[in-house]
Amino acid sequence: MASAETPAAPAPDTAAADPIMNVKGLVKHFPLRSGVVIKRQVGAVQAVDGVDLQVRPGETIGVVGESGCGKSTLAKLLIGLETPTAGSISLTGREMVGASGGKLKAMRRDVQMIFQDPYTSLNPRMTVGDIIAEPLEIHPDAVPKAQRTERVRELMSLVGLSPEHIDRYAHQFSGGQRQRIGIARGLALNPKLLICDEPVSALDVSVQAQVINLLQDLQNRLGISLIFIAHDLSVVRHISHRVAVMYLGRIVELGDKEQVYNNPQHPYTKALLSAVPNPDPAMRGKGNQIVLEGDPPSPANPPSGCRFRTRCWKAQAKCAEVDPGLELTSSGARAACHFPGDTPSQPEVAA
């Protein structure tokens, strides 16, 4: 859990500002093929299926959901590591989908990624200085060659690493230090948006807090936007301004963090939040936990209508027939549910 030493930045007042990134109808289907000699497509894994999202200047959007819901695929699409099946990704007003190699390369300077595992995302054959300088080699016009070493030293200091260790290798650093190296590499080109794909899940709890506080400090100092993907709902609440809840390839709830955490509208969001352990020992066993029945459906064969209906206690005939869109609810958040909010039939059991 993140420390309270570095409070979350106040939500930026950017309602009238143009978004850094504007995502509309984003889809990524991975084909399923069958056959030994002649491969025929027999279906598709709908990893991301119709995501709309706007990222505002200077804000952090937390993305949560259980494993397999499409969070990491969404991250790869937004940075251009995967090609969308359909949809639009606009970065500072420029369309990324379908952009040519040179144009896409130029746009990628504005969006960088911090990967989940600091042990496998760094090249063990390269020194830390070379790792951080690699984006500057790919984009040689960003910093003159004679100034790159000094730029690398500045970046190391910025993320809390000693510039004296510029010639060391990744294996000579701890996990938290390696993630700082990854952050420094992500900042090398002065991006407008950092996509953080579960950047603290492989770290010890105390180190997690240090990295989270570092990201918040960098955001306050540099004014960058963040998309922060994580499983830990307490971490997401600490660092985020808005929260997007994903289920089976789609965003099912989106709103300011206090709207989503204090008054969840989608049944899946309520179930996720009810499973968060209470840190107060005196309150353990006194809360209410929603126990979902069954496993998540396969993304290769999602249910008709609402994708959550097979595990939802509110499901009615309409839920199987009509696919709900993200609609504004009484809480101020948007939820993809025909029956948002509380109902008397909510199946709560003692935790």
Side-chain angles (χ1 to χ4, degrees), residues 18-347:
D18 293 333
I20 295 294
M21 179 174 280
N22 192 5
V23 179
K24 293 183 179 179
L26 193 61
V27 174
K28 180 60 180 180
H29 291 178
F30 294 97
L32 294 174
R33 304 185 187 278
S34 179
V36 178
V37 179
I38 300 176
K39 297 287 187 179
R40 295 184 176 88
Q41 184 172 339
V42 295
V45 175
Q46 301 177 24
V48 175
D49 196 48
V51 166
D52 296 334
L53 188 66
Q54 286 190 343
V55 186
R56 303 164 185 161
E59 80 164 343
T60 299
I61 293 183
V63 181
V64 299
E66 54 197 330
S67 297
C69 71
K71 303 187 301 297
S72 291
T73 301
L74 175 62
K76 292 175 182 178
L77 289 168
L78 297 183
I79 200 172
L81 293 178
E82 294 282 358
T83 302
T85 305
S88 169
I89 305 173
S90 175
L91 180 65
T92 62
R94 300 166 294 171
E95 180 59 47
M96 291 183 66
V97 178
S100 63
K103 291 182 179 179
L104 182 60
K105 179 181 177 181
M107 283 186 278
R108 278 181 169 170
R109 291 177 58 167
D110 287 333
V111 54
Q112 295 291 305
M113 191 164 182
I114 302 170
F115 295 91
Q116 176 177 356
D117 190 350
Y119 294 91
T120 59
S121 62
L122 303 179
N123 191 330
R125 298 178 181 271
M126 296 173 65
T127 66
V128 168
D130 290 337
I131 289 172
I132 298 174
E134 189 172 21
L136 305 178
E137 298 288 340
I138 297 172
H139 299 270
D141 59 323
V143 176
K145 189 172 184 179
Q147 300 176 17
R148 288 176 192 167
T149 299
E150 182 60 29
R151 173 61 175 160
V152 170
R153 291 179 177 274
E154 290 176 358
L155 289 166
M156 292 183 70
S157 295
L158 185 65
V159 300
L161 296 172
S162 173
E164 297 177 359
H165 299 159
I166 191 171
D167 293 323
R168 292 189 178 183
Y169 290 86
H171 72 270
Q172 296 175 285
F173 293 85
S174 67
Q177 290 173 323
R178 294 185 198 193
Q179 198 59 290
R180 290 172 185 264
I181 296 169
I183 294 171
R185 178 178 59 184
L187 294 173
L189 297 172
N190 291 317
K192 294 180 173 63
L193 173 63
L194 270 181
I195 298 176
C196 310
D197 186 13
E198 301 196 38
V200 298
S201 62
L203 306 177
D204 292 338
V205 174
S206 60
V207 180
Q208 287 183 16
Q210 295 172 16
V211 173
I212 293 298
N213 290 336
L214 172 63
L215 287 171
Q216 289 182 314
D217 180 60
L218 291 171
Q219 183 176 53
N220 293 336
R221 295 170 63 179
L222 305 177
I224 57 176
S225 301
L226 303 176
I227 294 179
F228 190 90
I229 298 170
H231 281 94
D232 192 327
L233 295 176
S234 60
V235 169
V236 170
R237 184 172 192 172
H238 179 82
I239 194 173
S240 302
H241 300 113
R242 289 192 295 150
V243 176
V245 181
M246 287 193 70
Y247 182 81
L248 213 60
R250 294 184 178 177
I251 293 177
V252 296
E253 186 160 356
L254 175 64
D256 293 343
K257 66 177 179 182
E258 298 305 329
Q259 294 171 341
V260 172
Y261 277 79
N262 294 336
N263 190 15
Q265 296 295 296
H266 196 281
Y268 179 63
T269 308
K270 297 177 77 68
L272 281 181
L273 293 175
S274 76
V276 176
N278 194 320
D280 184 358
M283 296 300 296
R284 291 175 188 169
K286 297 182 180 180
N288 292 317
Q289 183 177 355
I290 299 173
V291 179
L292 297 178
E293 297 183 358
D295 296 322
S298 168
N301 186 28
S304 62
C306 175
R307 297 192 169 195
F308 186 63
R309 67 176 178 81
T310 57
R311 306 172 76 193
C312 181
W313 61 92
K314 298 182 181 181
Q316 300 182 23
K318 180 180 181 180
C319 302
E321 300 168 357
V322 181
D323 187 4
L326 274 175
E327 301 292 342
L328 190 64
T329 67
S330 59
S331 73
R334 296 184 179 273
C337 182
H338 294 302
F339 309 102
D342 292 322
T343 62
S345 59
Q346 180 176 326

